[in-house]
């Protein structure tokens, strides 16, 4: 039994799954209010289930909003430490790809990294299986455009999907429907099934680059 949590962007979601069976899930798109909404969501999804019954807690550890990722990871670490539960670190971008297991396509998962750059990974979806084509990365829209030209059918999804789609300027891409555009707890739980368990102490946020404040501080020092 796995509790899966996401707060890596403006959306937040929680799901409780027994293997590949989803027991209960919640999803909200209310902006970066995760410090107020995440724990109540977790309590509602757990409902009558005790945390001691969990085999693991999965969390999208990044990439994404620095604040959102920190809140999610800190919340899961606290829950896991308290009940001595293993953790599973999941890529936010991979969780997005699991929204499209009913299609045969290329999923271009993108999150807005500002200045027309995106946190991105590409996945091939074939007969319900997700095949990763590249590692998570930060990439400019120009470089991403050149890569996507190689494929016949691409779905762009994620919190940066609309911005990317509006500026990519090629005909072989489609924008994911809003109902399946964002990462969610169900996708996190599916992605977690093939991941190793780690301790709460080992669970750390995954950042692909420094925050804006850190970049500005480094620039000032140089």
């Amino acid at each position: 039994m796995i509790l899966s949590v996401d707060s890596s962007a403006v959306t937040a979601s929680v799901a409780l799954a027994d293997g590949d069976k989803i027991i209960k899930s919640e999803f909200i798109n209310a902006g970066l209010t995760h410090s107020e909404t995440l724990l109540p969501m977790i309590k509602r999804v757990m409902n009558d289930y005790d945390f001691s019954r969990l085999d693991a807690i999965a969390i999208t550890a990044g990439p994404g909003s620095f604040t959102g990722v920190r809140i999610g990871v800190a919340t899961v670490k606290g829950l896991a430490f308290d009940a001595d539960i293993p953790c599973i670190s999941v890529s936010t971008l991979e969780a997005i790809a699991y929204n499209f297991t009913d299609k045969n396509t290329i999923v271009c998962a993108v999150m807005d990294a500002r200045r027309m750059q995106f946190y991105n990974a590409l996945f091939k979806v074939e007969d319900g299986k997700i095949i990763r084509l590249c590692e998570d990365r930060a990439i400019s829209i120009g470089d991403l455009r050149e890569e996507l030209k190689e494929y016949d059918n691409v779905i762009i999804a994620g919190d940066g999907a609309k911005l990317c789609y509006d500026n990519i300027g090629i005909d072989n891409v489609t924008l994911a429907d809003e109902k399946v555009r964002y990462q969610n707890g169900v996708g996190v739980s599916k992605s977690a099934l093939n991941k190793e368990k780690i301790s709460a102490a080992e669970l750390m946020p995954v950042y692909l680059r420094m925050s804006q404040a850190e970049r500005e501080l480094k620039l000032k020092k140089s």
Side-chain angles (χ1 to χ4, degrees), residues 99-165:
N99 290 350
F100 303 94
T101 52
D102 60 336
K103 302 182 182 298
N104 288 330
T105 188
I106 300 295
V107 175
C108 175
V110 288
M111 305 185 75
D112 186 7
R114 310 300 179 192
R115 299 180 181 180
M116 294 310 294
Q117 286 196 331
F118 297 90
Y119 301 128
N120 164 255
L122 302 178
F123 303 87
K124 183 180 181 180
V125 186
E126 191 172 56
D127 299 328
K129 295 182 179 179
I130 303 294
I131 303 164
R132 178 181 279 273
L133 300 180
C134 67
E135 294 302 309
D136 292 357
R137 61 201 176 166
I139 189 171
S140 70
I141 193 164
D143 290 341
L144 183 58
R145 180 185 297 116
E146 292 305 309
E147 282 197 34
L148 295 186
K149 287 178 180 178
E150 301 176 13
Y151 302 103
D152 295 327
N153 178 30
V154 179
I155 296 176
I156 298 181
D159 83 324
K162 182 68 165 60
L163 178 65
C164 183
Y165 177 78

Side-chain angles (χ1 to χ4, degrees), residues 76-220:
V76 167
K77 284 171 77 77
L79 293 172
F81 270 126
D82 186 56
D84 194 25
I85 305 168
C87 299
I88 301 174
S89 177
V90 171
S91 160
T92 311
L93 300 167
E94 185 173 322
I96 293 169
Y98 273 90
N99 290 350
F100 303 94
T101 52
D102 60 336
K103 302 182 182 298
N104 288 330
T105 188
I106 300 295
V107 175
C108 175
V110 288
M111 305 185 75
D112 186 7
R114 310 300 179 192
R115 299 180 181 180
M116 294 310 294
Q117 286 196 331
F118 297 90
Y119 301 128
N120 164 255
L122 302 178
F123 303 87
K124 183 180 181 180
V125 186
E126 191 172 56
D127 299 328
K129 295 182 179 179
I130 303 294
I131 303 164
R132 178 181 279 273
L133 300 180
C134 67
E135 294 302 309
D136 292 357
R137 61 201 176 166
I139 189 171
S140 70
I141 193 164
D143 290 341
L144 183 58
R145 180 185 297 116
E146 292 305 309
E147 282 197 34
L148 295 186
K149 287 178 180 178
E150 301 176 13
Y151 302 103
D152 295 327
N153 178 30
V154 179
I155 296 176
I156 298 181
D159 83 324
K162 182 68 165 60
L163 178 65
C164 183
Y165 177 78
D166 288 345
N167 290 274
I168 200 77
I170 47 179
D171 296 331
N172 60 329
V173 301
T174 56
L175 177 63
D177 187 90
E178 193 165 3
K179 292 184 291 185
V180 291
R181 189 177 301 169
Y182 304 103
Q183 65 277 11
N184 58 66
V186 174
V188 176
S189 69
K190 292 178 180 178
S191 180
L193 288 175
N194 58 17
K195 300 288 189 298
E196 66 174 334
K197 297 175 184 176
I198 58 176
S199 68
E202 293 174 290
L203 178 66
M204 297 296 289
V206 177
Y207 303 131
L208 296 183
R209 68 181 192 187
M210 294 183 292
S211 69
Q212 182 177 346
E214 291 169 323
R215 293 197 304 271
E216 290 177 354
L217 179 61
K218 184 178 179 181
L219 184 62
K220 191 177 292 185

Side-chain angles (χ1 to χ4, degrees), residues 3-6 12-16 24-26 38 41-42 45 185:
L3 175 69
S4 297
V5 180
D6 169 70
S13 183
V14 180
L16 179 64
K24 188 174 181 180
S25 66
E26 281 197 17
L38 195 58
M41 287 178 70
I42 290 171
V45 167

